[in-house]
């Protein structure tokens, strides 16, 4: 195990099983439709890559990049668009894909932004939810796991840009983020 990791919270097999179930549910719900999956860079990319491959409906892909955390482990509350979608989502069945919903500020900002373009439908799929941290109410239509308030990294999730490549979702050792803040 990586020396900066305290323990594995969700192992790779457990994640894959859950992703497969989510993919099956989403595919059933969108039967006969075409989906536009919108990945929120950068955290969602690993989850999105796995989710896409278990979907059985036609899928288009786009990305939006936002950041609120910067190099800090807690949100600043200000969401910035770093890269907008390549094309408008008007008239599309949009599935917004996130790695984690924490305060909800990112998701709230993004759903407001996308609704302005009048999609045919807009649903949210998030692998992780930390409900105890919520500051604004948001709806997650497809959720992987609800987790306690611990600082997790891996499977796309970072701390200060690192650890996204870890295959499991892991609790970061407290010393690692406390030393920097
Ligand atoms: C993280 C995470 C979500 C968001 C959740 O992204 O990937 O997008 O924060 O936090 P919130 O619910 O409190 O808004 P981050 O800003 O760290 O960017 P990244 O995806 O590039 O790591
Ligand atoms: Mn993110
Ligand atoms: Mg991040």
């Amino acid at each position: 195990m990586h020396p900066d990791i305290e323990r594995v919270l969700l192992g790779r097999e457990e994640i894959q099983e859950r992703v497969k179930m989510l993919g099956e549910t989403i595919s059933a719900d969108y039967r006969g439709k075409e989906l536009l999956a919108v990945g929120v860079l950068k955290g969602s990319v690993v989850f999105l890559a796995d989710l896409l491959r278990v979907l059985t409906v036609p899928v288009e892909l786009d990305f939006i990049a936002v950041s609120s955390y910067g190099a800090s482990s807690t949100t600043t509350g200000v969401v910035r668009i770093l890269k907008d979608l390549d094309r408008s989502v008007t008239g599309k069945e949009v599935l917004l894909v996130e790695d984690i919903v924490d305060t909800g500020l990112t998701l709230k900002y993004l759903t407001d932004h996308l609704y302005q373009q009048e999609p045919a439908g807009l649903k949210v799929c998030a692998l992780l939810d930390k409900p105890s941290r919520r500051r604004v109410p948001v709806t997650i239509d497809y959720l992987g796991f609800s987790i306690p308030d611990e600082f997790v990294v891996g499977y796309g999730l970072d701390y200060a840009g690192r650890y996204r490549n870890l295959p499991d979702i892991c609790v970061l050792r407290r010393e690692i983020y406390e030393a920097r803040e």
Side-chain angles (χ1 to χ4, degrees):
M1 197 160 64
H2 192 290
D4 296 354
I5 294 313
E6 187 181 295
R7 67 175 202 280
V8 172
L9 182 70
L10 298 163
R12 59 201 82 177
E13 289 90 6
E14 191 180 354
I15 298 169
Q16 285 320 313
E17 266 174 44
R18 190 74 189 117
V19 171
K20 190 160 180 290
M21 284 177 62
L22 286 171
E24 284 166 3
T25 306
I26 293 166
S27 298
D29 288 359
Y30 284 90
R31 239 187 91 149
K33 291 180 182 170
E34 189 163 342
L35 200 56
L36 172 63
V38 172
V40 184
L41 293 172
K42 300 172 185 162
S44 74
V45 295
V46 178
F47 172 45
L48 179 58
D50 283 344
L51 182 69
L52 278 179
R53 286 176 288 177
V54 292
L55 294 177
T56 56
V57 289
V59 190
E60 280 188 300
L61 189 55
D62 205 346
F63 291 97
I64 190 163
V66 291
S67 199
S68 62
Y69 278 52
S72 162
S73 67
T74 50
T75 185
T76 54
V78 181
V79 181
R80 267 194 318 143
I81 292 196
L82 305 175
K83 179 226 167 285
D84 210 336
L85 298 166
D86 289 347
R87 287 193 286 166
S88 151
V89 302
T90 307
K92 305 255 183 189
E93 289 288 351
V94 179
L95 181 69
L96 188 62
V97 180
E98 262 289 27
D99 53 341
I100 187 166
V101 182
D102 191 309
T103 63
L105 289 164
T106 304
L107 186 56
K108 172 81 169 75
Y109 179 86
L110 284 171
T111 51
D112 287 352
H113 177 71
L114 294 176
Y115 268 125
Q116 280 169 19
Q117 299 172 21
E118 301 188 355
L122 174 59
K123 286 192 175 180
V124 173
C125 177
L127 181 65
L128 305 175
D129 182 18
K130 268 189 197 174
S132 62
R133 299 256 310 159
R134 198 74 86 250
R135 280 165 55 183
V136 288
V138 291
T139 303
I140 304 172
D141 301 280
Y142 304 101
L143 175 67
F145 303 93
S146 189
I147 63 167
D149 185 15
E150 291 190 279
F151 203 88
V152 287
V153 295
Y155 198 71
L157 290 109
D158 74 305
Y159 170 64
R162 301 176 64 200
Y163 313 107
R164 295 194 200 274
N165 56 311
L166 300 181
D168 308 299
I169 293 171
C170 305
V171 178
L172 191 63
R173 291 168 77 97
R174 191 170 283 273
E175 310 89 271
I176 304 298
Y177 55 90
E178 280 183 347
R180 297 214 17 188
E181 276 161 29

